[in-house]
Amino acid sequence: MKLSLKLLLKKIIQQYNKKIFLRKYSSSYLMLPMVVNINWKKINIAPKSEFILGEQSIIRGNLQCQKEGAKMIIGKRVFIGSKTDIVSTCKVSIGDNVLIAHNCYIMDTDGHSMDPNIRRNDIPNRWKGYKDWSVVKSEEINIGCDVWIGPNVTVLKGVSIGEAAVIAANSVVTKSIPAFTFAAGVPAKVIRKLYFE
């Protein structure tokens, strides 16, 4: 089978970007399969973080372990759409066969303190090159196997989405969703149970 010049060039660039990625994040724990389709430039990992990616996954979005020691565990055959951001400062775990559509936002932290007196230090700290994560709440996110998350969905910290659940487009998930249910809305609520033969 002959490869077109364009496809061959794309493969060479992918391998080059992967090599740079591995060199850049050598201080972190990385587990990367051979068979994966990913844009390596869209992954950012803090030092001493844990990043595990299952085989046959297709990653089009941005993945970030923002805090030292953060964990991101992504199962096998996972699809993450373009312009989707997944941010871990604690732990984000995604099971096998999960579909996450485009333009989603999944973050296991508030990002900033709720206290304005503390929050006003965020930008001056950034100018000095660091972020004080000790004042920011974080709780892990768990997304079970076979979950389907529609486009433009936001998943907030401390949420678990049960096995085979479906989250409708434009929903904001603020509380855990049970397995085998269809949820929708702002905030997302269970609309009905799902039954499969």
Side-chain angles (χ1 to χ4, degrees):
M1 181 171 90
K2 291 183 179 179
L3 289 175
S4 71
L5 185 59
K6 189 176 179 180
L7 189 60
L8 184 62
L9 187 60
K10 189 176 177 182
K11 281 183 172 281
I12 291 167
I13 290 168
Q14 277 280 71
Q15 287 302 316
Y16 178 73
N17 288 337
K18 183 177 181 182
K19 198 178 274 188
I20 290 170
F21 171 85
L22 291 171
R23 194 175 302 134
K24 186 176 179 182
Y25 299 115
S26 59
S27 67
S28 296
Y29 176 76
L30 304 172
M31 199 166 136
L32 305 167
M34 292 298 291
V35 183
V36 69
N37 187 330
I38 189 167
N39 185 340
W40 299 102
K41 287 185 173 182
K42 293 188 176 182
I43 304 175
N44 290 302
I45 300 173
K48 299 178 184 173
S49 294
E50 185 176 321
F51 182 80
I52 298 172
L53 180 61
E55 64 184 20
Q56 296 182 329
S57 291
I58 299 172
I59 312 296
R60 299 280 181 260
N62 303 302
L63 308 179
Q64 301 176 49
C65 289
Q66 286 190 343
K67 180 181 168 188
E68 189 172 296
K71 295 180 181 181
M72 188 172 299
I73 301 164
I74 298 171
K76 298 174 184 175
R77 298 171 300 278
V78 171
F79 176 83
I80 297 173
S82 63
K83 297 182 182 173
T84 284
D85 287 303
I86 302 178
V87 177
S88 173
T89 60
C90 174
K91 182 180 178 185
V92 174
S93 178
I94 299 170
D96 298 336
N97 306 306
V98 171
L99 302 174
I100 300 174
H102 310 287
N103 300 307
C104 294
Y105 193 70
I106 298 168
M107 188 169 180
D108 70 356
T109 179
D110 287 338
H112 302 277
S113 171
M114 295 298 282
D115 184 336
N117 297 310
I118 295 171
R119 199 168 55 236
R120 75 171 54 105
N121 294 320
D122 283 356
I123 300 303
N125 287 346
R126 287 290 175 113
W127 275 103
K128 293 173 188 171
Y130 73 95
K131 174 148 178 94
D132 183 3
W133 287 106
S134 68
V135 297
V136 181
K137 279 190 175 182
S138 297
E139 293 177 57
E140 66 182 67
I141 291 174
N142 291 295
I143 298 171
C145 295
D146 299 299
V147 167
W148 175 20
I149 297 175
N152 305 306
V153 169
T154 298
V155 179
L156 300 180
K157 72 177 191 311
V159 164
S160 289
I161 300 175
E163 180 186 356
V166 177
I167 311 296
N170 303 306
S171 298
V172 177
V173 185
T174 60
K175 292 183 178 170
S176 293
I177 303 296
F180 303 101
T181 59
F182 172 72
V186 181
K189 293 179 181 168
V190 174
I191 304 300
R192 67 177 187 270
K193 289 194 171 186
L194 299 173
Y195 299 96
F196 308 103
E197 292 183 14

